[in-house]
């Protein structure tokens, strides 16, 4: 059992919920950056199809400024200076992923369905409800199609990733309650970004004793964007590094895992104005359980260990993901 | 006002979890049984092999001890009609690598292209090779890590006391 690259690998990351808003903003980089698809590459997986259904909950309700928590006094001060104060943004993502793996390449299609609610205090008004507005929206999000190649070495311990995120999510939601009812929701709070993004990256996998590890890096860059009412929106480039370790007994029914997820998101460009962006580091403990017959369930919680956001943004105290995966013969 | 904008029940996550659990149990195999499809598409289940001794042998093309025991299993399968040997290849780089070994060593028993999920159905592996032996009743006799000989398997089948410790639960 001494062969390298026993069982540990990953595929996709970069499910960045783009949940910012003008002025006070929900941190766009604070989303789900987990590597979920560690079974899709490497010698542990035989060729074939697999499907994955996952649910991710992100409640961005913690106002942060720079690297610290924004105090009520700071929020009052910023609101007094003309800044809108966001209250919360909750995003529930149900994602279906379909994966095909050959012996040296694979392709993964991700279809997310987003449910998002949002509340914000207008200006002036914080913390009263006189200028409070809220929205709720749901729909198919931006679909991504990502390929990978692992044919550089016989043990497939390294690979490259390339793919596209398509502008399939809607971009026309309005506030539907409160003072701003009927006015368009900010671009970064829409279900879709309106942009076509190129995703490029690479990964390495290996084993140390009975533990498997992986390291993966990706860059996501918008290559085509969409203007609405003459205002263009370009999501900032995202640079993600994920690494993780898991107990690697071959075929273990209970597999604990631990990931470290880093993401740096450059500021978005909204009509020529740079906004948002930040750098975050998450620690993500999780586990997967094999149920038999090629079916497994998994769950993770992401806990922020470092956060730096540009300006005032909302960030989550944690994100939670669980899902089920089935490999077909 | 915060809640007025929310159209989703806080129980959505619980409902989703229940759905996943239901799907999980729908897909899961019953404890103790398994379903193996060999390289030619034939299916083998523990329940379908009742009445025979069943030896499921996990092996890898790069494992010398695994290759060493193949002739033993070939002979065992050839000489005992009441025994079914099934080889499960895992940790291989390509199917061709497995098929080359099958041809080179004239493996006469069914060969399965296995993976971690396959091993998971047997509780996982700690070393290679690992074999699982089932009585004709379907009861798991135990598993053995390391190479086996035809003689050792025959002693187990003949219920020789000195062979009892070969397979552990």
């Amino acid at each position: 059992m001494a062969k390298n690259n026993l069982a540990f690998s990953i595929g996709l990351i970069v499910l960045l919920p783009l949940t910012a808003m003008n002025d006070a903003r929900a941190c766009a980089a604070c989303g789900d950056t987990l590597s979920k698809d560690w079974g899709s590459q490497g010698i542990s997986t035989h060729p074939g199809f697999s499907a994955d259904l996952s649910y991710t909950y992100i409640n961005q309700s913690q106002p942060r400024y720079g690297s610290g928590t924004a105090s009520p006094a700071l929020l009052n001060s910023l609101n007094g200076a003309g800044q809108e104060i966001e209250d919360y943004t909750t995003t529930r993502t149900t994602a279906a992923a379909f994966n095909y793996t050959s012996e040296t390449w694979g392709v993964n299609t991700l279809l997310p369905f987003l449910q998002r609610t949002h509340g914000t205090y207008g200006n002036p008004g914080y913390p009263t409800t006189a200028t409070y507005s809220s929205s709720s929206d749901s729909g198919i999000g931006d679909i991504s199609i990502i390929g990978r190649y692992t044919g550089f070495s016989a043990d497939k311990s390294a690979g490259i990733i390339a793919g596209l995120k398509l502008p399939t999510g809607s971009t026309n939601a309005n506030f539907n309650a409160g003072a701003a009812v009927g006015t368009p929701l900010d671009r970064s709070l829409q279900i879709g970004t309106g942009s076509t993004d190129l995703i490029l990256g690479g990964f390495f996998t290996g084993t140390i004793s009975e533990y498997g590890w992986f390291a993966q890096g990706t860059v996501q860059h918008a290559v085509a964007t969409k203007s609405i009412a003459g205002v263009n929106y370009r999501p900032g480039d995202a640079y993600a590094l994920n690494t993780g370790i898991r107990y690697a007994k071959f075929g273990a029914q209970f597999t604990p895992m631990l990931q470290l997820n880093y993401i740096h998101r450059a500021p978005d460009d909204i009509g020529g104005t740079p906004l948002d962006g930040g750098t975050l580091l998450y620690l993500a403990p999780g586990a997967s359980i094999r149920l038999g017959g090629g079916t497994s369930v998994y769950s993770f919680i992401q806990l922020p260990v470092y956060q730096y956001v540009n300006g005032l943004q909302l960030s989550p105290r944690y994100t939670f993901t669980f899902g089920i995966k089935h490999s077909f013969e | 006002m915060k809640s007025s904008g929310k159209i989703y029940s806080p129980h959505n996550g619980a409902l989703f979890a229940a759905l996943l659990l239901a799907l999980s149990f729908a897909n899961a195999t019953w404890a103790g049984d398994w379903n193996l499809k060999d390289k030619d598409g034939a299916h083998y289940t523990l329940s379908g092999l009742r009445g025979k001794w069943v030896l499921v042998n996990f092996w890898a093309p790069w494992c010398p001890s695994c290759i060493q025991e193949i002739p033993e299993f070939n002979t065992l399968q050839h000489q005992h009609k009441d025994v079914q040997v099934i080889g499960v290849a895992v940790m291989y780089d390509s199917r061709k690598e497995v098929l080359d070994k099958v041809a080179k060593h004239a493996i006469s028993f069914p060969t399965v292209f296995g993976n971690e999920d396959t091993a998971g159905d047997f509780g996982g592996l700690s070393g290679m090779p690992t074999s699982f032996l089932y009585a004709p009743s379907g009861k798991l006799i135990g598993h053995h890590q390391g190479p086996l000989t035809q003689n050792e398997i025959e002693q187990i089948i003949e219920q020789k006391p000195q062979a009892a410790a070969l397979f552990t639960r």
Side-chain angles (χ1 to χ4, degrees):
Chain A
M1 199 93 142
K3 188 158 187 176
N4 284 334
N5 190 19
L6 224 182
F8 200 76
S9 56
I10 55 167
L12 300 181
I13 53 163
V14 196
L15 306 174
L16 302 178
L18 301 163
T19 50
M21 184 175 176
N22 284 330
D23 298 326
R25 315 185 65 80
C27 170
C30 293
D32 170 18
T33 58
L34 275 174
S35 290
K36 300 173 193 167
D37 192 15
W38 32 49
S40 64
Q41 303 149 11
I43 61 172
S44 66
T45 301
H46 59 184
F49 288 94
S50 65
D52 185 302
L53 184 65
S54 67
Y55 175 87
T56 298
Y57 175 80
I58 303 173
N59 181 23
Q60 294 171 264
S61 59
Q62 185 184 33
R64 296 188 69 86
Y65 192 89
S67 59
T69 302
S71 67
L74 176 63
L75 297 178
N76 272 314
S77 171
L78 292 169
N79 191 237
Q83 183 160 334
E84 177 185 325
I85 304 297
E86 283 197 339
D87 185 23
Y88 72 95
T89 301
T90 301
T91 305
R92 298 169 174 86
T93 303
T94 305
F98 303 95
N99 181 73
Y100 175 74
T101 301
S102 81
E103 288 182 346
T104 55
W105 61 272
V107 64
N108 186 295
T109 303
L110 184 70
L111 292 88
F113 180 83
L114 275 72
Q115 300 168 297
R116 179 171 290 149
T117 56
H118 170 71
T120 189
Y121 297 94
N123 176 49
Y126 176 81
T128 69
T129 58
T131 59
Y132 196 92
S133 301
S134 63
S135 67
S136 61
D137 192 17
S138 62
I140 298 291
D142 289 343
I143 293 171
S144 61
I145 301 171
I146 301 195
R148 59 188 179 278
Y149 179 74
T150 56
F152 300 111
S153 62
D155 66 2
K156 302 167 193 166
S157 60
I160 56 172
I161 297 165
L164 290 174
K165 183 199 72 68
L166 304 172
T168 51
S170 67
T171 57
N172 58 0
N174 296 330
F175 280 102
N176 49 23
V181 65
T183 62
L185 206 57
D186 291 295
R187 287 292 299 273
S188 53
L189 281 167
Q190 300 286 348
I191 294 295
T193 68
S195 65
T196 300
D197 296 2
L198 180 64
I199 300 169
L200 296 173
F203 60 89
F204 295 93
T205 67
T207 57
I208 302 171
S209 185
E210 284 202 320
Y211 293 86
W213 61 269
F214 77 89
Q216 174 181 285
T218 58
V219 177
Q220 182 166 348
H221 173 72
V223 292
T225 58
K226 179 180 180 181
S227 293
I228 295 179
V231 178
N232 191 45
Y233 173 70
R234 174 181 291 277
D237 290 351
Y239 305 88
L241 284 173
N242 287 346
T243 186
I245 189 166
R246 74 167 190 170
Y247 178 60
K249 178 184 175 184
F250 194 79
Q253 290 180 312
F254 176 76
T255 304
M257 312 175 195
L258 184 66
Q259 287 191 37
L260 197 60
N261 311 124
Y262 165 88
I263 185 165
H264 173 73
R265 172 85 179 261
D268 298 343
D269 185 316
I270 302 177
T273 303
L275 285 167
D276 291 345
T279 301
L280 299 108
L281 186 65
Y282 287 99
L283 193 63
S288 108
I289 300 171
R290 291 180 198 281
L291 300 175
T295 302
S296 56
V297 292
Y298 59 87
S299 184
F300 279 97
I301 187 164
Q302 278 186 303
L303 305 168
V305 292
Y306 174 76
Q307 300 179 81
Y308 180 88
V309 297
N310 297 327
L312 180 65
Q313 298 184 39
L314 287 176
S315 69
R317 297 179 194 279
Y318 67 92
T319 75
F320 176 70
T321 297
F322 64 93
I324 181 170
K325 181 177 180 179
H326 183 73
S327 298
F328 300 93
E329 289 188 54
Chain B
M1 192 152 181
K2 184 188 255 188
S3 60
S4 67
K6 295 187 178 182
I7 60 173
Y8 311 108
S9 155
H11 301 299
N12 272 4
L15 288 172
F16 188 84
L19 174 65
L20 289 189
L21 275 176
L23 284 170
S24 304
F25 286 115
N27 277 304
T29 52
W30 292 107
D33 204 355
W34 35 256
N35 186 345
L36 298 172
K37 186 173 82 170
D38 77 2
K39 61 182 176 53
D40 301 315
H43 283 268
Y44 296 87
T45 62
L46 179 60
S47 52
L49 290 168
R50 286 279 168 89
K52 288 190 172 187
W53 290 87
V54 179
L55 183 75
V56 180
N57 170 247
F58 283 86
W59 66 280
W62 47 266
C63 161
S65 298
C66 305
I67 303 303
Q68 172 194 325
E69 62 184 352
I70 287 175
E72 303 281 339
F73 294 156
N74 269 339
T75 310
L76 179 74
Q77 182 65 90
H78 182 69
Q79 293 182 353
H80 294 270
K81 300 301 178 197
D82 61 340
V83 174
Q84 178 64 62
V85 180
I86 301 172
V88 182
V90 292
M91 303 181 203
Y92 49 84
D93 290 333
S94 69
R95 290 189 172 198
K96 181 178 181 302
E97 184 185 16
V98 175
L99 294 174
D100 286 348
K101 294 292 184 189
V102 170
K104 181 178 178 182
H105 299 283
I107 296 178
S108 59
F109 47 85
T111 297
V112 174
F113 295 115
N115 63 0
E116 266 208 282
D117 287 330
T118 318
D121 288 347
F122 290 80
L125 309 177
S126 296
M128 293 291 284
T130 295
S131 296
F132 296 82
L133 182 65
Y134 295 85
S137 64
K139 181 188 173 190
L140 175 67
I141 301 297
H143 71 277
H144 175 86
Q145 184 180 318
L148 285 166
T149 64
Q150 177 188 354
N151 181 254
E152 286 171 331
I153 302 295
E154 287 172 340
Q155 288 191 7
I156 286 281
I157 290 173
E158 292 163 12
Q159 300 183 331
K160 299 279 179 67
Q162 64 268 30
L166 271 176
F167 284 83
T168 56
R169 295 296 299 270

